[in-house]
Short mmCIF file of all heavy atoms in Angstrom, two decimals:
data_model
loop_
_atom_site.label_atom_id
_atom_site.label_comp_id
_atom_site.label_asym_id
_atom_site.label_seq_id
_atom_site.Cartn_x
_atom_site.Cartn_y
_atom_site.Cartn_z
N MET A 10 157.98 151.35 -131.16
CA MET A 10 159.41 151.09 -131.21
C MET A 10 160.07 152.23 -131.99
O MET A 10 159.61 152.61 -133.04
CB MET A 10 159.65 149.73 -131.89
CG MET A 10 161.07 149.30 -131.87
SD MET A 10 161.40 147.70 -132.65
CE MET A 10 160.55 146.59 -131.57
N SER A 11 161.18 152.72 -131.43
CA SER A 11 161.86 153.83 -132.08
C SER A 11 162.63 153.35 -133.31
O SER A 11 162.87 152.15 -133.50
CB SER A 11 162.82 154.51 -131.10
OG SER A 11 163.96 153.71 -130.90
N ASP A 12 163.02 154.30 -134.13
CA ASP A 12 163.76 153.99 -135.35
C ASP A 12 165.08 153.30 -135.04
O ASP A 12 165.47 152.34 -135.71
CB ASP A 12 164.00 155.28 -136.14
CG ASP A 12 164.59 155.02 -137.51
OD1 ASP A 12 164.11 154.09 -138.19
OD2 ASP A 12 165.54 155.74 -137.88
N SER A 13 165.79 153.78 -134.02
CA SER A 13 167.07 153.16 -133.68
C SER A 13 166.87 151.74 -133.14
O SER A 13 167.69 150.86 -133.40
CB SER A 13 167.85 154.01 -132.68
OG SER A 13 167.23 154.02 -131.43
N GLN A 14 165.79 151.50 -132.42
CA GLN A 14 165.50 150.15 -131.93
C GLN A 14 165.20 149.22 -133.10
O GLN A 14 165.63 148.06 -133.10
CB GLN A 14 164.33 150.16 -130.96
CG GLN A 14 164.66 150.75 -129.60
CD GLN A 14 163.44 150.87 -128.73
OE1 GLN A 14 162.33 151.14 -129.20
NE2 GLN A 14 163.63 150.68 -127.44
N GLN A 15 164.49 149.73 -134.10
CA GLN A 15 164.20 148.92 -135.28
C GLN A 15 165.48 148.59 -136.04
O GLN A 15 165.67 147.45 -136.49
CB GLN A 15 163.21 149.64 -136.19
CG GLN A 15 161.80 149.69 -135.63
CD GLN A 15 160.87 150.52 -136.51
OE1 GLN A 15 161.30 151.32 -137.32
NE2 GLN A 15 159.57 150.32 -136.32
N LYS A 16 166.36 149.57 -136.17
CA LYS A 16 167.64 149.34 -136.84
C LYS A 16 168.47 148.32 -136.08
O LYS A 16 169.08 147.43 -136.67
CB LYS A 16 168.42 150.64 -137.00
CG LYS A 16 167.85 151.57 -138.05
CD LYS A 16 168.64 152.84 -138.13
CE LYS A 16 168.03 153.81 -139.13
NZ LYS A 16 168.76 155.07 -139.19
N ASP A 17 168.50 148.45 -134.75
CA ASP A 17 169.24 147.50 -133.93
C ASP A 17 168.69 146.09 -134.09
O ASP A 17 169.44 145.12 -134.19
CB ASP A 17 169.19 147.89 -132.45
CG ASP A 17 170.02 149.11 -132.12
OD1 ASP A 17 170.83 149.53 -132.97
OD2 ASP A 17 169.85 149.65 -131.00
N GLU A 18 167.38 145.97 -134.12
CA GLU A 18 166.75 144.66 -134.26
C GLU A 18 167.05 144.06 -135.64
O GLU A 18 167.35 142.87 -135.74
CB GLU A 18 165.24 144.78 -134.05
CG GLU A 18 164.55 143.44 -133.98
CD GLU A 18 163.10 143.56 -133.60
OE1 GLU A 18 162.78 144.33 -132.68
OE2 GLU A 18 162.28 142.85 -134.22
N ARG A 19 166.99 144.88 -136.69
CA ARG A 19 167.32 144.38 -138.04
C ARG A 19 168.79 143.94 -138.11
O ARG A 19 169.10 142.91 -138.69
CB ARG A 19 167.02 145.44 -139.09
CG ARG A 19 165.54 145.59 -139.39
CD ARG A 19 165.29 146.41 -140.66
NE ARG A 19 165.94 147.71 -140.66
CZ ARG A 19 165.37 148.84 -140.27
NH1 ARG A 19 164.13 148.85 -139.84
NH2 ARG A 19 166.03 149.98 -140.33
N PHE A 20 169.67 144.73 -137.51
CA PHE A 20 171.09 144.37 -137.48
C PHE A 20 171.29 143.05 -136.76
O PHE A 20 172.00 142.17 -137.24
CB PHE A 20 171.91 145.48 -136.81
CG PHE A 20 173.36 145.13 -136.65
CD1 PHE A 20 174.22 145.18 -137.75
CD2 PHE A 20 173.86 144.73 -135.43
CE1 PHE A 20 175.56 144.84 -137.61
CE2 PHE A 20 175.20 144.40 -135.28
CZ PHE A 20 176.04 144.45 -136.37
N ARG A 21 170.66 142.91 -135.59
CA ARG A 21 170.78 141.67 -134.83
C ARG A 21 170.25 140.49 -135.62
O ARG A 21 170.86 139.41 -135.66
CB ARG A 21 170.03 141.79 -133.50
CG ARG A 21 170.27 140.58 -132.60
CD ARG A 21 169.36 140.58 -131.42
NE ARG A 21 168.02 140.35 -131.92
CZ ARG A 21 166.91 140.70 -131.31
NH1 ARG A 21 166.97 141.30 -130.16
NH2 ARG A 21 165.74 140.45 -131.83
N ASP A 22 169.11 140.66 -136.29
CA ASP A 22 168.53 139.59 -137.10
C ASP A 22 169.47 139.18 -138.23
O ASP A 22 169.65 137.99 -138.50
CB ASP A 22 167.17 139.99 -137.66
CG ASP A 22 166.10 140.12 -136.58
OD1 ASP A 22 166.31 139.62 -135.45
OD2 ASP A 22 165.05 140.72 -136.88
N ARG A 23 170.07 140.15 -138.89
CA ARG A 23 171.01 139.85 -139.97
C ARG A 23 172.26 139.16 -139.45
O ARG A 23 172.78 138.22 -140.06
CB ARG A 23 171.39 141.13 -140.72
CG ARG A 23 170.27 141.68 -141.56
CD ARG A 23 170.68 142.96 -142.23
NE ARG A 23 169.56 143.52 -142.97
CZ ARG A 23 169.44 144.79 -143.27
NH1 ARG A 23 170.37 145.66 -142.91
NH2 ARG A 23 168.39 145.23 -143.94
N LEU A 24 172.75 139.63 -138.32
CA LEU A 24 173.93 139.02 -137.72
C LEU A 24 173.64 137.57 -137.32
O LEU A 24 174.46 136.68 -137.56
CB LEU A 24 174.38 139.84 -136.50
CG LEU A 24 175.65 139.40 -135.81
CD1 LEU A 24 176.83 139.41 -136.77
CD2 LEU A 24 175.92 140.30 -134.63
N MET A 25 172.49 137.33 -136.72
CA MET A 25 172.13 135.97 -136.33
C MET A 25 171.95 135.07 -137.55
O MET A 25 172.33 133.90 -137.53
CB MET A 25 170.87 135.98 -135.47
CG MET A 25 171.06 136.62 -134.11
SD MET A 25 172.39 135.88 -133.14
CE MET A 25 171.71 134.28 -132.83
N ALA A 26 171.40 135.60 -138.63
CA ALA A 26 171.24 134.82 -139.86
C ALA A 26 172.62 134.46 -140.43
O ALA A 26 172.82 133.33 -140.89
CB ALA A 26 170.43 135.60 -140.88
N LEU A 27 173.55 135.40 -140.38
CA LEU A 27 174.90 135.12 -140.86
C LEU A 27 175.57 134.06 -139.99
O LEU A 27 176.20 133.13 -140.50
CB LEU A 27 175.73 136.40 -140.87
CG LEU A 27 177.18 136.27 -141.31
CD1 LEU A 27 177.27 135.72 -142.73
CD2 LEU A 27 177.88 137.61 -141.21
N LEU A 28 175.42 134.17 -138.68
CA LEU A 28 175.99 133.18 -137.79
C LEU A 28 175.36 131.81 -138.03
O LEU A 28 176.06 130.79 -138.03
CB LEU A 28 175.80 133.61 -136.34
CG LEU A 28 176.42 132.72 -135.28
CD1 LEU A 28 177.92 132.56 -135.50
CD2 LEU A 28 176.14 133.28 -133.90
N GLN A 29 174.07 131.76 -138.26
CA GLN A 29 173.41 130.49 -138.56
C GLN A 29 173.94 129.91 -139.86
O GLN A 29 174.17 128.71 -139.96
CB GLN A 29 171.89 130.69 -138.66
CG GLN A 29 171.13 129.40 -138.92
CD GLN A 29 171.26 128.41 -137.79
OE1 GLN A 29 171.06 128.76 -136.64
NE2 GLN A 29 171.62 127.18 -138.11
N TRP A 30 174.18 130.75 -140.85
CA TRP A 30 174.74 130.30 -142.13
C TRP A 30 176.11 129.67 -141.91
O TRP A 30 176.41 128.60 -142.44
CB TRP A 30 174.82 131.49 -143.09
CG TRP A 30 175.35 131.15 -144.44
CD1 TRP A 30 174.65 130.66 -145.50
CD2 TRP A 30 176.71 131.28 -144.88
NE1 TRP A 30 175.49 130.49 -146.57
CE2 TRP A 30 176.76 130.86 -146.22
CE3 TRP A 30 177.87 131.71 -144.28
CZ2 TRP A 30 177.93 130.85 -146.96
CZ3 TRP A 30 179.05 131.71 -145.02
CH2 TRP A 30 179.06 131.28 -146.34
N VAL A 31 176.96 130.33 -141.11
CA VAL A 31 178.28 129.79 -140.82
C VAL A 31 178.14 128.47 -140.05
O VAL A 31 178.82 127.49 -140.36
CB VAL A 31 179.14 130.80 -140.02
CG1 VAL A 31 180.44 130.16 -139.53
CG2 VAL A 31 179.44 132.03 -140.85
N ALA A 32 177.26 128.45 -139.06
CA ALA A 32 177.08 127.24 -138.24
C ALA A 32 176.60 126.06 -139.08
O ALA A 32 176.99 124.91 -138.81
CB ALA A 32 176.11 127.52 -137.11
N ASP A 33 175.77 126.31 -140.07
CA ASP A 33 175.30 125.23 -140.93
C ASP A 33 176.44 124.62 -141.73
O ASP A 33 176.42 123.43 -142.03
CB ASP A 33 174.22 125.74 -141.90
CG ASP A 33 172.90 126.04 -141.22
OD1 ASP A 33 172.69 125.58 -140.07
OD2 ASP A 33 172.08 126.75 -141.83
N ARG A 34 177.43 125.43 -142.07
CA ARG A 34 178.55 124.96 -142.88
C ARG A 34 179.72 124.47 -142.04
O ARG A 34 180.40 123.52 -142.41
CB ARG A 34 179.00 126.06 -143.83
CG ARG A 34 178.05 126.17 -145.01
CD ARG A 34 177.89 127.60 -145.49
NE ARG A 34 176.87 127.70 -146.51
CZ ARG A 34 175.57 127.76 -146.29
NH1 ARG A 34 175.11 127.68 -145.07
NH2 ARG A 34 174.70 127.88 -147.27
N ASP A 35 179.98 125.15 -140.92
CA ASP A 35 181.12 124.78 -140.08
C ASP A 35 180.81 125.17 -138.62
O ASP A 35 181.10 126.29 -138.19
CB ASP A 35 182.37 125.51 -140.57
CG ASP A 35 183.64 125.03 -139.89
OD1 ASP A 35 183.56 124.32 -138.88
OD2 ASP A 35 184.73 125.39 -140.39
N PRO A 36 180.21 124.26 -137.88
CA PRO A 36 179.82 124.57 -136.51
C PRO A 36 181.00 124.96 -135.61
O PRO A 36 180.85 125.80 -134.73
CB PRO A 36 179.16 123.28 -135.99
CG PRO A 36 178.95 122.41 -137.17
CD PRO A 36 179.80 122.91 -138.28
N VAL A 37 182.16 124.38 -135.85
CA VAL A 37 183.33 124.72 -135.03
C VAL A 37 183.74 126.16 -135.27
O VAL A 37 184.05 126.90 -134.33
CB VAL A 37 184.50 123.74 -135.32
CG1 VAL A 37 185.76 124.17 -134.60
CG2 VAL A 37 184.11 122.32 -134.92
N ALA A 38 183.74 126.60 -136.52
CA ALA A 38 184.09 127.98 -136.83
C ALA A 38 183.08 128.94 -136.20
O ALA A 38 183.47 129.99 -135.67
CB ALA A 38 184.15 128.20 -138.34
N ALA A 39 181.82 128.58 -136.24
CA ALA A 39 180.79 129.43 -135.63
C ALA A 39 181.01 129.52 -134.12
O ALA A 39 180.90 130.61 -133.54
CB ALA A 39 179.40 128.89 -135.95
N ALA A 40 181.33 128.40 -133.49
CA ALA A 40 181.58 128.41 -132.05
C ALA A 40 182.79 129.28 -131.72
O ALA A 40 182.79 130.01 -130.72
CB ALA A 40 181.78 126.99 -131.55
N ARG A 41 183.82 129.22 -132.56
CA ARG A 41 185.01 130.06 -132.33
C ARG A 41 184.66 131.54 -132.45
O ARG A 41 185.15 132.36 -131.67
CB ARG A 41 186.10 129.72 -133.33
CG ARG A 41 186.89 128.52 -132.94
CD ARG A 41 188.15 128.39 -133.80
NE ARG A 41 188.62 127.04 -133.73
CZ ARG A 41 188.72 126.20 -134.76
NH1 ARG A 41 188.41 126.59 -135.96
NH2 ARG A 41 189.16 124.98 -134.57
N LEU A 42 183.85 131.88 -133.44
CA LEU A 42 183.44 133.28 -133.60
C LEU A 42 182.71 133.78 -132.37
O LEU A 42 182.98 134.88 -131.87
CB LEU A 42 182.54 133.43 -134.83
CG LEU A 42 183.20 133.39 -136.19
CD1 LEU A 42 182.13 133.35 -137.28
CD2 LEU A 42 184.10 134.59 -136.39
N VAL A 43 181.79 132.98 -131.87
CA VAL A 43 181.02 133.38 -130.69
C VAL A 43 181.95 133.49 -129.47
O VAL A 43 181.86 134.45 -128.71
CB VAL A 43 179.87 132.38 -130.42
CG1 VAL A 43 179.21 132.65 -129.08
CG2 VAL A 43 178.85 132.46 -131.54
N SER A 44 182.84 132.53 -129.32
CA SER A 44 183.77 132.54 -128.19
C SER A 44 184.69 133.76 -128.24
O SER A 44 184.89 134.44 -127.23
CB SER A 44 184.60 131.26 -128.19
OG SER A 44 185.54 131.29 -127.15
N ASP A 45 185.25 134.04 -129.42
CA ASP A 45 186.13 135.20 -129.57
C ASP A 45 185.38 136.50 -129.28
O ASP A 45 185.91 137.39 -128.61
CB ASP A 45 186.73 135.25 -130.97
CG ASP A 45 187.75 134.15 -131.21
OD1 ASP A 45 188.17 133.48 -130.25
OD2 ASP A 45 188.10 133.94 -132.40
N PHE A 46 184.17 136.59 -129.78
CA PHE A 46 183.37 137.79 -129.54
C PHE A 46 183.09 137.94 -128.05
O PHE A 46 183.22 139.04 -127.50
CB PHE A 46 182.05 137.72 -130.32
CG PHE A 46 181.14 138.87 -130.01
CD1 PHE A 46 181.36 140.12 -130.55
CD2 PHE A 46 180.07 138.70 -129.15
CE1 PHE A 46 180.53 141.19 -130.24
CE2 PHE A 46 179.22 139.76 -128.84
CZ PHE A 46 179.47 141.01 -129.39
N ALA A 47 182.72 136.84 -127.39
CA ALA A 47 182.42 136.90 -125.96
C ALA A 47 183.66 137.32 -125.17
O ALA A 47 183.57 138.12 -124.23
CB ALA A 47 181.89 135.56 -125.47
N ASP A 48 184.82 136.79 -125.54
CA ASP A 48 186.07 137.17 -124.86
C ASP A 48 186.35 138.66 -125.02
O ASP A 48 186.70 139.34 -124.05
CB ASP A 48 187.25 136.36 -125.40
CG ASP A 48 187.21 134.90 -124.99
OD1 ASP A 48 186.43 134.53 -124.09
OD2 ASP A 48 187.96 134.11 -125.62
N GLU A 49 186.20 139.15 -126.23
CA GLU A 49 186.46 140.58 -126.48
C GLU A 49 185.45 141.45 -125.75
O GLU A 49 185.81 142.50 -125.19
CB GLU A 49 186.43 140.86 -127.97
CG GLU A 49 187.63 140.30 -128.71
CD GLU A 49 187.56 140.56 -130.20
OE1 GLU A 49 186.80 141.45 -130.64
OE2 GLU A 49 188.28 139.86 -130.95
N LEU A 50 184.19 141.03 -125.73
CA LEU A 50 183.16 141.79 -125.03
C LEU A 50 183.45 141.82 -123.53
O LEU A 50 183.35 142.86 -122.89
CB LEU A 50 181.78 141.19 -125.30
CG LEU A 50 180.61 141.89 -124.64
CD1 LEU A 50 180.50 143.34 -125.11
CD2 LEU A 50 179.32 141.13 -124.94
N PHE A 51 183.85 140.68 -122.98
CA PHE A 51 184.18 140.63 -121.56
C PHE A 51 185.33 141.57 -121.24
O PHE A 51 185.30 142.30 -120.25
CB PHE A 51 184.53 139.20 -121.14
CG PHE A 51 184.93 139.10 -119.70
CD1 PHE A 51 183.99 139.18 -118.69
CD2 PHE A 51 186.27 138.96 -119.35
CE1 PHE A 51 184.36 139.11 -117.36
CE2 PHE A 51 186.65 138.89 -118.02
CZ PHE A 51 185.70 138.97 -117.02
N GLU A 52 186.36 141.57 -122.09
CA GLU A 52 187.49 142.47 -121.86
C GLU A 52 187.05 143.92 -121.90
O GLU A 52 187.48 144.73 -121.08
CB GLU A 52 188.58 142.23 -122.91
CG GLU A 52 189.38 140.98 -122.70
CD GLU A 52 190.44 140.78 -123.76
OE1 GLU A 52 190.65 141.69 -124.60
OE2 GLU A 52 191.07 139.72 -123.76
N GLU A 53 186.21 144.25 -122.86
CA GLU A 53 185.74 145.62 -122.99
C GLU A 53 184.92 146.03 -121.77
O GLU A 53 185.09 147.12 -121.22
CB GLU A 53 184.89 145.76 -124.25
CG GLU A 53 184.45 147.18 -124.53
CD GLU A 53 183.68 147.31 -125.82
OE1 GLU A 53 184.06 146.67 -126.82
OE2 GLU A 53 182.68 148.06 -125.83
N LEU A 54 184.05 145.15 -121.30
CA LEU A 54 183.22 145.46 -120.14
C LEU A 54 184.04 145.50 -118.86
O LEU A 54 183.70 146.23 -117.93
CB LEU A 54 182.09 144.43 -120.01
CG LEU A 54 181.05 144.47 -121.13
CD1 LEU A 54 180.07 143.31 -120.96
CD2 LEU A 54 180.31 145.80 -121.15
N ALA A 55 185.11 144.73 -118.82
CA ALA A 55 185.96 144.69 -117.63
C ALA A 55 186.98 145.83 -117.61
O ALA A 55 187.71 145.97 -116.65
CB ALA A 55 186.66 143.34 -117.54
N GLY A 56 187.07 146.58 -118.69
CA GLY A 56 188.00 147.71 -118.71
C GLY A 56 189.30 147.41 -119.44
O GLY A 56 190.29 148.07 -119.20
N GLY A 57 189.30 146.42 -120.28
CA GLY A 57 190.50 146.12 -121.05
C GLY A 57 191.09 144.79 -120.63
O GLY A 57 190.70 144.21 -119.62
N PRO A 58 192.07 144.33 -121.39
CA PRO A 58 192.69 143.05 -121.06
C PRO A 58 193.47 143.14 -119.75
O PRO A 58 193.98 144.19 -119.39
CB PRO A 58 193.60 142.77 -122.24
CG PRO A 58 193.84 144.08 -122.88
CD PRO A 58 192.64 144.94 -122.56
N GLU A 59 193.51 142.02 -119.05
CA GLU A 59 194.27 141.99 -117.81
C GLU A 59 195.76 142.07 -118.14
O GLU A 59 196.21 141.48 -119.12
CB GLU A 59 193.97 140.72 -117.03
CG GLU A 59 192.55 140.67 -116.51
CD GLU A 59 192.33 139.48 -115.59
OE1 GLU A 59 193.31 139.01 -114.97
OE2 GLU A 59 191.20 139.05 -115.51
N PRO A 60 196.53 142.77 -117.32
CA PRO A 60 197.96 142.86 -117.60
C PRO A 60 198.61 141.49 -117.44
O PRO A 60 198.23 140.71 -116.57
CB PRO A 60 198.47 143.85 -116.55
CG PRO A 60 197.41 143.93 -115.51
CD PRO A 60 196.12 143.51 -116.15
N THR A 61 199.57 141.22 -118.28
CA THR A 61 200.29 139.96 -118.18
C THR A 61 201.49 140.19 -117.29
O THR A 61 202.14 141.24 -117.34
CB THR A 61 200.75 139.46 -119.56
OG1 THR A 61 201.50 140.49 -120.19
CG2 THR A 61 199.56 139.11 -120.44
N PRO A 62 201.79 139.21 -116.45
CA PRO A 62 202.94 139.40 -115.55
C PRO A 62 204.25 139.42 -116.32
O PRO A 62 204.41 138.71 -117.31
CB PRO A 62 202.86 138.19 -114.63
CG PRO A 62 201.98 137.21 -115.30
CD PRO A 62 201.12 137.96 -116.27
N SER A 63 205.15 140.26 -115.88
CA SER A 63 206.47 140.29 -116.52
C SER A 63 207.35 139.20 -115.92
O SER A 63 207.19 138.82 -114.76
CB SER A 63 207.13 141.66 -116.36
OG SER A 63 207.27 141.92 -114.97
N VAL A 64 208.24 138.70 -116.72
CA VAL A 64 209.09 137.59 -116.26
C VAL A 64 210.47 138.08 -115.96
O VAL A 64 211.03 138.92 -116.53
CB VAL A 64 209.15 136.48 -117.34
CG1 VAL A 64 209.93 135.29 -116.82
CG2 VAL A 64 207.78 136.08 -117.76
#
């Protein structure tokens, strides 16, 4: 495993531990964090937010 892969894995492990910590204390807040992240990731992968129609 390369050095960057090891760093990525350690980062992911720390992030998941932090998310688990939040979920243990407030599952709703943890779910919101995951949902917000997924929405932002989807927008980024799709090329940005969809334009809103003008009224």
